[in-house]
Amino acid sequence: MSFPWANDYKPTNPLMQWVDQRLPLPRFVYNAVGAGYPVPRNLNYMWNFGILAGFALVLQIVTGVVLAMHYAANDKVAFDSVEHIMRDVNWGWMLRYAHANGASMFFIVVYTHIFRGFFYSSYKAPREMIWLLGVVIFLLMMATAFMGYVLPWGQMSFWGAKVITGLFSAIPLVGPPLQEWLLGGFAPDNAALNRFFSLHFLLPFVILGVIILHVWALHIPGSSNPTGVEVKQESDTVPFHPYYTAKDGFGLGIFLMLYCALVFFAPNLLGHPDNYIPANPLSTPAHIVPEWYFWPFYAILRAFTSDFMFIPAKLMGVLAMFSAILVWFFLPWLDTSPVRSGHYRPMFRKFFYLLVVDVLVLGYCGGAPAAEPFVMISQIASMYYFLHFLVILPIVSSIETPQPLPFSITEAVLGKDESATLSPATPAIA
Amino acid sequence: MVRLFGPLVGLFFAVALLWSFGNGAYNAVTQPTPPTAEALFHMHPKEVKFSFDSAFGTFDKAQLQRGFKVYQEVCSNCHSLKQVAFRDLGQLGYKEAEVKAIAKNWGNKAQTFDPKTGDRGERANLPSDHFPPVYYAGQGVPPDLSLIAKARHGGAQYIHSLLTGYTDQVGYKNEAGEELLKKFPDAKTPDGLYFNPYFANLNLAMPAPLASDGQVTYSDGTQATVDQMAMDVSAFLTWTAEPKLDKRKQTGWPVLGFLLAATVLAYLAKRNVWADKH
C-alpha cells in the first residue's frame, strides 16, 4: 500500500526500462527507500536509527564473513586463531575490533530505536506487526551476540556460555537434559563451540530476513511520526529520497565517527579483560559478567534471591529475564491510550523517563558484582520495570487526559493552515 | 485478556521481588557481611604515564628494547610469550641480523620431532618461530605474558604497580590508616606466597622479580632502577599484547578526518535538500 500521491517509477534509462519490465527490482527499491515512498515530513533524528541498525547489521555481516575466513572453531586453537587474526592477518586487528565494537554500536542503535518506539508508541495500531517483528529481531540479535562472544574462547566466553546455557537447567524436569543437549556435553566444550560458530554465522541472515518483513510491514501503513497524527494529505509527506536519504546520510556520518573513535582509539573499552585469558574450565573468574548490552537483563536475572511459593529463585530469575523481553510483545494491547506520541501525554511522559533511568540503573547493577547494595537496588529497579509495563501503562492510558493534538502534520510543522479550518468538527483525537 | 492477565503477571513478579528484597534486607540487618581484607586493602594501580597513553601516543622503541631485555633476563625464566614470534622483534627497531642472533641465542630451544624415527630433540630458534614454551616446576602457574597487559584491569599501570608494589606485610597500613594484620589477623600471607597489595587477593606465588637496582644492564646507558625496569617491561608487555597500537592510531586519525569532512558535507547537503520544507 502507499499513499495515492506517491511518485510512480518511470525509468528514463533504456537499460533500467528493460530490467524493470522483466524483473521490477528497481521499482521495488524505488518504492521502498526511494522517491516512491512518501514519508511524514516531520520526522526528527530519532527516526534515523532504523537505517543505522540496518547499516550496523551489514557491517557485522561483512566483517564477520571475512573474520570467519581466518578463524578456527576448535577449542584447541580458537583463542590462538583470534590472536593470529590480530597479529598476522593483514588488517585483521581492524576487522576484529570493527566486529566486536560493531556489535556494541548495533545494540546502542537498536536500544535507541526501541526506546523511540516506547516514547512515540510506534507499536500502536496499525503498526503492531512492525513492532512484533522488531521484538523478534531483538531476540535473534541477543542470541547471535551471545554466541559470537563465545567464539574467542576466552575466560568470559567459556563462563558466559556456562551461565547462560545453565539458565535452561532451571526448567523443571527437562532442564538438565535440555542444557546437555544444547551444549552437546556436560559443560561448554568443542561441540558447543562448533555449534555456536555455525549458528552465529547463520542467525544474522535470519535477522536479515526478518528485517525484510519488518520493513515490508512498515510500508503498509507508512512511517509513524513525532506527532503521532496519521498522514492526511500530500503536504504531510515528502518523498523518502532525497529528503530522508540526505538526513540519514548525516546521521550515518555521526554514527561512523563514534564507531571509528571506538575502533581506533578505545577498542577494548567495552570489553572485559578476562576474555584475553584463554578459557580454563578449572578457574572461575571472580565476577562473571556478560557484555554491557545484556546487563539490564542480567540484573533482573540476579534480582531473584529467594524462593517464592515453591518456585526456586533461579527459575524465577530465568522466567523474569525472559518475561522482561516477552512483555514487549504485549505492549500494543497494554497501552490503550488513543494518543500515540509522548509529546501529548504528560503523565505517560514522566513514567517513560522513569523507565529510561530505571533501565540505566539496572544496567549499572548488572555490570556490578553480585553484592549489596547492587542486589537490593536491582530488586527495586526490576520491580519498577515489570510494574511499568504491566500495571502502570494500562492505568495511565485509561486515566490520563492527553493534550490537544495538532490537526495535521503540516499544521504541526508550519502552523495552522487554511485546509485545517475547513473541518472544525474533527475531534482532536482521531 | 492482556489487560486482565498483564497486571496479574506484573504483580506476581513485583511480589516475588519484594519477597527477595525483604529477605535480603532482613539478612543484611541480622547478619551483616563483614568487609573482606581484599575489599579494604587491595590497591588500585599507581597513576604513571606511558608514552602510548593518549590518542596521539606511540611506543617508545628504545623503551621497548629495554623492556625486552628485562623480559629476556628476568621474566622469561618462568613466563612464556607464545603469541609473539622472534620476527616481531623487528618492530622494536632491531635489524634483521640482530633478530636472527636473538632467536639463535635464546636459552630455551625449539623442540623438534622426527616422525620417521620418533626421535625428539631441539634446535636453535629461527626468526619465524614463536617464543618457545616455558616449563615451570615450582609453586604456582606463571601465566603466559603475551596478552597480560590486556587481560588485567589497568594494563601497563597494573603491571608496573605489581612489580614495584611488594612490601612488608607486618605493619602494612592502607590509605585510611588501618593496619592489615591488626584488622585481619587471619590474613597473614601463607608460606610460599608473597604479599602485594596490588594483587587482587593480596598474596601471590611470584616473589618480587625486580629485587634490586642494576639487576639488568641497559645497553643505552639508562640507569636500571627497579622503577625504570618495571616501567620498561610494562611498556614492552603492552606492545606484546597490542603490537598494532601505533598503526591503529595512525590509521584512526585520517579515518576520523575523512569522516568529519564527509559528515559536514552530508549536513550541508541535508540543509540544501530541506531548504524549502521548513
Side-chain angles (χ1 to χ4, degrees):
Chain A
M1 193 215 97
S2 185
F3 301 111
W5 56 85
N7 293 324
D8 194 28
Y9 182 61
K10 291 191 202 76
T12 46
N13 185 314
L15 176 67
M16 297 310 281
Q17 285 171 353
W18 186 89
V19 173
D20 187 51
Q21 282 155 13
R22 283 150 187 83
L23 176 74
L25 184 65
R27 177 177 301 272
F28 181 77
V29 173
Y30 181 89
N31 290 335
V33 289
Y37 178 42
V39 186
R41 62 189 293 171
N42 61 336
L43 302 190
N44 59 29
Y45 279 105
M46 295 307 286
W47 265 260
N48 278 37
F49 288 86
I51 289 278
L52 291 180
F55 183 83
L57 176 71
V58 172
L59 209 68
Q60 289 303 85
I61 289 178
V62 171
T63 52
V65 164
V66 183
L67 284 171
M69 295 172 189
H70 301 280
Y71 169 79
N74 178 295
D75 64 341
K76 301 286 184 297
V77 295
F79 188 89
D80 290 343
S81 79
V82 172
E83 278 310 308
H84 160 71
I85 291 170
M86 292 297 285
R87 289 156 197 270
D88 296 330
V89 173
N90 290 332
W91 298 96
W93 58 271
M94 192 173 79
L95 282 170
R96 173 165 172 263
Y97 280 153
H99 196 70
N101 288 291
S104 284
M105 290 302 289
F106 198 175
F107 273 95
I108 291 174
V109 164
V110 163
Y111 276 130
T112 315
H113 193 58
I114 292 171
F115 275 79
R116 192 286 314 268
F118 286 156
F119 183 81
Y120 293 103
S121 311
S122 302
Y123 43 77
K124 281 185 187 161
R127 296 186 181 78
E128 300 98 321
M129 187 54 83
I130 315 172
W131 177 259
L132 298 180
L133 290 166
V135 181
V136 170
I137 293 171
F138 182 69
L139 288 170
L140 286 168
M141 269 180 72
M142 293 183 89
T144 310
F146 158 66
M147 285 189 271
Y149 194 57
V150 175
L151 301 186
W153 209 240
Q155 272 289 68
M156 280 299 165
S157 300
F158 179 89
W159 291 95
K162 193 160 169 130
V163 169
I164 300 299
T165 57
L167 298 181
F168 291 92
S169 71
I171 300 169
L173 297 175
V174 295
L178 182 64
Q179 185 197 0
E180 282 160 29
W181 179 74
L182 286 172
L183 282 175
F186 299 104
D189 208 336
N190 196 38
L193 180 61
N194 267 294
R195 63 189 57 185
F196 281 13
F197 178 56
S198 171
L199 292 173
H200 183 72
F201 204 114
L202 168 73
L203 286 185
F205 297 96
V206 178
I207 293 177
L208 195 63
V210 184
I211 285 180
I212 291 173
L213 299 182
H214 186 68
V215 175
W216 185 6
L218 169 72
H219 281 69
I220 303 301
S223 300
S224 85
N225 70 85
T227 64
V229 176
E230 286 294 333
V231 168
K232 293 194 166 90
Q233 56 206 349
E234 187 171 0
S235 68
D236 288 347
T237 66
V238 290
F240 188 86
H241 179 75
Y243 290 96
Y244 285 106
T245 40
K247 195 164 181 169
D248 287 335
F250 173 56
L252 184 64
I254 302 284
F255 166 88
L256 283 174
M257 282 204 287
L258 279 175
Y259 174 53
C260 288
L262 267 184
V263 169
F264 291 104
F265 298 104
N268 294 307
L269 179 71
L270 300 171
H272 196 290
D274 278 16
N275 228 25
Y276 281 111
I277 304 170
N280 182 353
L282 299 178
S283 155
T284 316
H287 306 295
I288 302 174
V289 284
E291 289 275 80
W292 69 267
Y293 36 78
F294 293 141
W295 287 354
F297 303 104
Y298 197 54
I300 291 175
L301 171 74
R302 295 193 302 187
F304 293 82
T305 49
S306 303
D307 296 354
F308 181 66
M309 302 194 312
F310 312 111
I311 306 175
K314 184 179 171 184
L315 180 59
M316 275 306 294
V318 172
L319 283 175
M321 189 181 75
F322 286 109
S323 304
I325 302 167
L326 295 181
V327 66
W328 297 354
F329 278 119
F330 299 96
L331 212 43
W333 298 279
L334 287 166
D335 176 4
T336 50
S337 168
V339 175
R340 294 198 183 89
S341 172
H343 282 309
Y344 307 102
R345 302 182 61 189
M347 199 188 281
F348 166 86
R349 199 161 58 219
K350 291 194 188 81
F351 286 109
F352 168 81
Y353 288 121
L354 203 54
L355 178 73
V356 174
V357 173
D358 186 65
V359 171
L360 293 176
V361 168
L362 277 174
Y364 185 81
C365 291
E372 298 302 352
F374 304 115
V375 176
M376 282 161 106
I377 296 173
S378 55
Q379 283 160 347
I380 301 290
S382 307
M383 217 182 297
Y384 179 76
Y385 184 92
F386 286 107
L387 291 178
H388 176 91
F389 286 110
L390 294 165
V391 179
I392 294 172
L393 269 190
I395 294 177
V396 164
S397 45
S398 44
I399 65 170
E400 175 181 57
T401 315
Q403 288 160 348
L405 295 175
F407 168 72
S408 69
I409 294 170
T410 311
E411 184 191 298
V413 176
L414 301 175
K416 275 228 182 298
D417 66 350
E418 289 308 306
S419 61
T421 57
L422 294 175
S423 49
T426 310
I429 301 161
Chain B
M1 285 291 274
V2 172
R3 301 201 79 202
L4 179 66
F5 286 106
L8 290 177
V9 172
L11 288 172
F12 171 72
F13 282 125
V15 172
L17 282 160
L18 206 59
W19 177 245
S20 287
F21 180 83
N23 278 334
Y26 178 76
N27 287 337
V29 172
T30 52
Q31 320 152 355
T33 330
T36 58
E38 290 90 338
L40 292 180
F41 289 88
H42 176 228
M43 300 271 285
H44 287 290
K46 301 173 201 172
E47 299 280 335
V48 286
K49 296 259 176 289
F50 287 94
S51 63
F52 47 79
D53 283 341
S54 77
F56 291 99
T58 55
F59 286 126
D60 171 356
K61 283 188 183 172
Q63 182 177 43
L64 296 187
Q65 291 197 5
R66 292 197 300 272
F68 171 61
K69 196 152 191 213
V70 177
Y71 170 76
Q72 182 176 19
E73 294 186 13
V74 184
C75 318
S76 71
N77 291 311
C78 309
H79 292 280
S80 58
L81 200 62
K82 64 177 191 168
Q83 304 291 353
V84 183
F86 286 101
R87 62 184 149 83
D88 295 332
L89 294 174
Q91 296 166 27
L92 305 190
Y94 291 109
K95 304 265 184 314
E96 202 180 327
E98 289 174 304
V99 172
K100 274 186 184 160
I102 291 169
K104 193 176 159 199
N105 300 327
W106 196 255
N108 244 347
K109 299 299 169 198
Q111 308 290 311
T112 59
F113 174 72
D114 187 335
K116 284 195 174 156
T117 61
D119 290 341
R120 288 174 194 280
E122 49 180 45
R123 60 163 171 77
N125 290 288
L126 297 168
S128 56
D129 289 328
H130 280 222
F131 279 81
V134 176
Y135 299 99
Y136 180 77
Q139 191 184 354
V141 188
D144 182 84
L145 292 185
S146 316
L147 285 161
I148 205 79
K150 288 203 288 194
R152 296 290 183 276
H153 285 288
Q157 286 191 347
Y158 167 78
I159 298 168
H160 168 264
S161 293
L162 189 79
L163 293 175
T164 56
Y166 286 89
T167 180
D168 213 351
Q169 192 188 23
V170 179
Y172 177 76
K173 290 179 181 160
N174 66 6
E175 279 160 347
E178 297 164 312
E179 193 171 328
L180 173 61
L181 290 182
K182 286 226 175 94
K183 208 163 164 64
F184 298 99
D186 296 342
K188 199 168 168 0
T189 301
D191 282 343
L193 296 185
Y194 302 86
F195 178 70
N196 190 327
Y198 294 96
F199 193 68
N201 67 8
L202 310 179
N203 304 300
L204 74 166
M206 174 170 76
L210 303 174
S212 59
D213 292 350
Q215 195 173 342
V216 171
T217 309
Y218 285 140
S219 51
D220 65 356
T222 306
Q223 213 187 344
T225 60
V226 168
D227 192 71
Q228 182 68 44
M229 291 185 288
M231 287 296 282
D232 292 345
V233 81
S234 303
F236 172 71
L237 291 176
T238 304
W239 171 78
T240 63
E242 187 78 355
K244 310 290 179 167
L245 181 142
D246 284 357
K247 192 178 183 189
R248 171 159 64 74
K249 292 181 188 172
Q250 282 159 14
T251 314
W253 286 112
V255 168
L256 277 189
F258 168 81
L259 284 175
L260 184 65
T263 306
V264 168
L265 285 179
Y267 178 68
L268 295 175
K270 184 247 158 195
R271 290 232 337 196
N272 199 354
V273 166
W274 280 86
D276 61 336
K277 289 289 175 191
H278 280 305

